[in-house]
Amino acid sequence: MEPQLQKIIVLNFGGQHSALIARRVREAQVYCEVLPYDTPWEEIRKHGPAGVILAGGPASIFLERAPRCDSALFQGNVPVLGIGYGMHLMARQLGGKVEQGRCSECGRAAFTVLEREPLFQDECFDQKEGGYGWINQRDAVLEPPPGFKVLARTENGVIAAIGDDSRRLYGLQLHPAVQQTPGGMGILKSFLYHVCGCSPSWTPRSFVQYAVDKIKSSVGPEGRVVCALSGGVDSSVVAFLLDRAVGQRCVSIFVDHGLLRKGEAEQVVDLFGSRLKGQFIHVDARERFLKALAGITDPEQKRKIIGAEFINVFKEKALSLGDIAYLAQGTIYSDVIESGTVAGAAVIKSHHNVGGLPEELGFKLVEPLRELFKDEVRLVGRELGLPDAILKRQPFPGPGLAVRVIGEVTAEKLELLREADAIFCEEIEKAGLEQELWQYFAVHTGINVVGVKGGGRHYGPVVALRAVRSEDAMTADWAKLPFDLLERVSARITGEIPGLARVVLDITPKPPGTIEWE
Ligand code: XMP
């Protein structure tokens, strides 16, 4: 039997709205999943949802090919909350009237609560005036559908919230998931707890129990699992979860491709070699990857070669272990959303790891983190006792230092880069800035310039420093690091690394730059 949990379904009508709503629902400690807007009600029903949220979206219902959901959903005897576009869709599908461009209050709008039950129970609505909310839709409901009441109105009389208590259907013109709606979280919680009857039970501890039960039920009492361990947060958490769920029946394979930062491989071997009950295999594939990368300068080709080589090494090792049916991967929820697996979601990145190890390997996949956002993965890791060195690691690309050595990757360049990177990281950490920065690293630019060393002219490589602040890696700004810190880093890098000629600082935001150089 698969373990059960209370679940909210968020229907995605495009844009980032659904991911944002999903984040907030999880913050309210209720589990939720995002599905494409056109998922048939029969499919949604199979999830046994405690409620459904129609996330807002950038479209207008008056557009010719406006995305529509299955209207059977409104007859399903499950609470529904339509937000923005979702509200308009629901209102029109149920016989209400929606007017194009009716809402003149786009942006911050004041509203008055007419009925506090059930959505506006939060104490921030204690005052009669109601509150402020963010509206990002020009269309508005003019007449609610039969059976619905108006629950709130804006200063200009625009309907801000509607509801039909008997059918448990609600609509919001306001966006409850953004910071500009101060009572927004209260509205969402009211919907989740009072209307849907959910309890705030989605916690790291309950997730660990849920995931362990789920792994046990999917691999059965005898099944053996192989786990690809990279030393990153996600795969480390997977390894610890598997350790709890199946113990000795898990074999973890760490492929050292030689493209990690200074000391990282040793850290992985130390931690996992001693902590896991199952077998831990350290494959030293450094030579092999260097050979495969020899003469390659094109970044995308490097990525492909590294991906393919990784699969080859992993496959050889895993197949030599005998009878193993399952492969565990650290796919997380944003990979699932960004890969476009959730229809209606724009494909944002192509270098996610969903399906990274192809099915030709003949394994059945176990992906215990598929439902978690990155920060939730960290909380679960903490619950499992993983050290900060792993949990607080900055994001690191799968192809590792190969995309931070511009041009051909050689052992010599990697060595130099590792040293420069370690000095930069050490100084950032000494200054206590590591938590403020999204990523900070050094890049081997692959060019040689002139300098003066030991009293004579000398040609050597240039290393660039890159430090960025970002929320989600989609956009980033270069970090204005203190000059004295930069001075120390520069003096140490040029002084401690023989052969290196120059250090430069990358001051390009994203866009137009990217975070990595390749
Ligand atoms: P860019 O350079 O596109 O990077 O601004 C955005 C984020 O993605 C990481 N990145 C990668 N991660 N494989 C990965 O697993 C890759 O090939 C790759 N390239 C970039 C980058 O470090 C940043 O966090």
Side-chain angles (χ1 to χ4, degrees):
M1 265 274 287
E2 282 251 319
Q4 292 299 316
L5 43 80
Q6 287 178 325
K7 190 192 281 189
I8 295 290
I9 294 295
V10 178
L11 289 188
N12 179 9
F13 290 89
Q16 298 282 308
H17 298 66
S18 55
L20 192 58
I21 298 276
R23 286 293 313 122
R24 296 284 178 265
V25 174
R26 299 275 185 94
E27 272 168 40
Q29 298 186 329
V30 174
Y31 177 64
C32 68
E33 275 181 40
V34 178
L35 294 180
Y37 65 86
D38 55 356
T39 310
W41 166 239
E42 276 312 305
E43 277 303 308
I44 300 176
R45 209 167 58 98
K46 287 186 196 150
H47 287 262
V52 176
I53 298 180
L54 313 179
S60 156
I61 57 166
F62 297 98
L63 293 176
E64 205 174 299
R65 281 198 280 158
R68 306 185 98 217
C69 55
D70 185 350
S71 57
L73 146 76
F74 305 118
Q75 272 81 51
N77 197 24
V78 166
V80 179
L81 176 65
I83 297 170
Y85 178 84
M87 173 204 209
H88 307 151
L89 198 63
M90 176 165 74
R92 193 157 77 171
Q93 286 184 226
L94 292 175
K97 226 184 196 174
V98 182
E99 196 177 26
Q100 191 167 17
R102 164 82 174 79
C103 182
S104 53
E105 293 164 295
C106 259
R108 189 169 184 262
F111 66 92
T112 306
V113 174
L114 306 174
E115 302 264 350
R116 284 192 64 179
E117 300 274 331
L119 294 186
F120 299 96
Q121 298 188 32
D122 193 272
E123 59 192 31
C124 75
F125 301 112
D126 280 349
Q127 288 135 353
K128 203 83 196 99
E129 302 84 59
Y132 285 95
W134 192 258
I135 295 180
N136 53 6
Q137 269 279 345
R138 289 222 168 270
D139 302 341
V141 172
L142 199 62
E143 265 174 40
F148 277 74
K149 287 183 292 194
V150 175
L151 307 180
R153 271 188 199 278
T154 69
E155 265 179 342
N156 296 353
V158 172
I159 295 179
I162 55 172
D164 176 344
D165 297 331
S166 61
R167 286 186 287 174
R168 296 182 296 167
L169 304 176
Y170 299 91
L172 277 179
Q173 179 80 3
L174 308 156
H175 209 305
V178 296
Q179 273 177 352
Q180 297 91 329
T181 303
M185 197 61 192
I187 300 175
L188 268 183
K189 282 183 177 169
S190 294
F191 177 70
L192 298 169
Y193 305 157
H194 304 308
V195 179
C196 303
C198 294
S199 54
S201 53
W202 177 252
T203 59
R205 180 160 299 174
S206 68
F207 173 80
V208 169
Q209 195 51 51
Y210 163 77
V212 164
D213 290 347
K214 195 163 168 182
I215 295 170
K216 281 184 179 163
S217 88
S218 31
V219 309
E222 309 277 321
R224 293 174 70 207
V225 189
V226 62
C227 165
L229 193 54
S230 70
V233 181
D234 306 337
S235 70
S236 302
V237 172
V238 169
F240 268 49
L241 272 177
L242 285 166
D243 192 56
R244 280 218 187 165
V246 298
Q248 291 191 332
R249 285 185 284 129
C250 177
V251 181
S252 303
I253 300 180
F254 167 52
V255 176
D256 181 2
H257 52 23
L259 304 166
L260 293 177
R261 287 165 296 190
K262 190 174 174 181
E264 256 177 354
E266 294 79 0
Q267 194 187 44
V268 172
V269 174
D270 276 358
L271 174 68
F272 293 95
S274 62
R275 285 284 297 266
L276 299 176
K277 294 192 263 310
Q279 197 183 350
F280 170 78
I281 300 175
H282 172 199
V283 186
D284 181 356
R286 289 178 294 179
E287 284 295 318
R288 191 166 164 168
F289 276 81
L290 268 184
K291 253 197 208 135
L293 288 168
I296 308 296
T297 54
D298 176 66
E300 287 311 305
Q301 218 184 331
K302 286 186 196 172
R303 284 190 168 85
K304 284 203 184 98
I305 290 173
I306 292 166
E309 204 52 34
F310 178 82
I311 288 168
N312 286 337
V313 175
F314 187 83
K315 190 154 117 185
E316 282 169 27
K317 202 71 213 172
L319 295 180
S320 74
L321 297 171
D323 188 21
I324 296 192
Y326 298 91
L327 168 74
Q329 275 203 155
T331 313
I332 67 169
Y333 201 48
S334 46
D335 299 328
V336 177
I337 298 182
E338 287 176 6
S339 70
T341 319
V342 176
V347 176
I348 298 164
K349 262 202 258 170
S350 57
H351 48 240
H352 53 80
N353 54 18
V354 178
L357 287 167
E359 274 140 33
E360 57 157 289
L361 284 184
F363 291 113
K364 289 181 210 139
L365 278 183
V366 178
E367 296 180 310
L369 309 182
R370 242 187 115 78
E371 294 135 353
L372 298 195
F373 289 101
K374 192 78 181 187
D375 52 335
E376 294 176 317
V377 175
R378 290 206 177 90
L379 294 174
V380 168
R382 174 144 306 126
E383 175 69 29
L384 289 164
L386 273 157
D388 272 1
I390 298 234
L391 293 179
K392 293 196 174 161
R393 241 175 71 137
Q394 42 170 329
F396 187 64
L401 298 184
V403 291
R404 293 182 182 169
V405 169
I406 312 309
E408 187 186 5
V409 180
T410 64
E412 198 187 358
K413 288 184 193 165
L414 283 172
E415 193 44 41
L416 187 140
L417 175 58
R418 252 187 218 113
E419 291 303 321
D421 186 70
I423 292 173
F424 187 35
C425 293
E426 196 185 307
E427 291 296 334
I428 293 262
E429 284 150 27
K430 253 200 241 162
L433 293 174
E434 72 274 23
Q435 292 309 316
E436 285 175 32
L437 301 173
W438 174 265
Q439 276 172 290
Y440 48 97
F441 54 86
V443 177
H444 189 301
T445 64
I447 52 167
N448 277 355
V449 296
V450 70
V452 191
K453 256 194 180 175
R457 272 167 89 81
H458 141 91
Y459 283 88
V462 183
V463 162
L465 306 178
R466 180 79 165 139
V468 295
R469 296 178 195 276
S470 174
E471 291 289 317
D472 52 11
M474 307 283 289
T475 60
D477 196 9
W478 61 280
K480 282 71 184 178
L481 297 174
F483 281 161
D484 58 338
L485 167 78
L486 290 170
E487 192 174 20
R488 256 190 328 273
V489 173
S490 159
R492 281 194 60 193
I493 289 182
T494 48
E496 293 174 28
I497 306 177
L500 190 135
R502 216 169 274 236
V503 188
V504 297
L505 178 68
D506 181 353
I507 53 169
T508 324
K510 171 182 180 174
T514 52
I515 294 176
E516 302 290 344
W517 272 37
E518 282 200 329

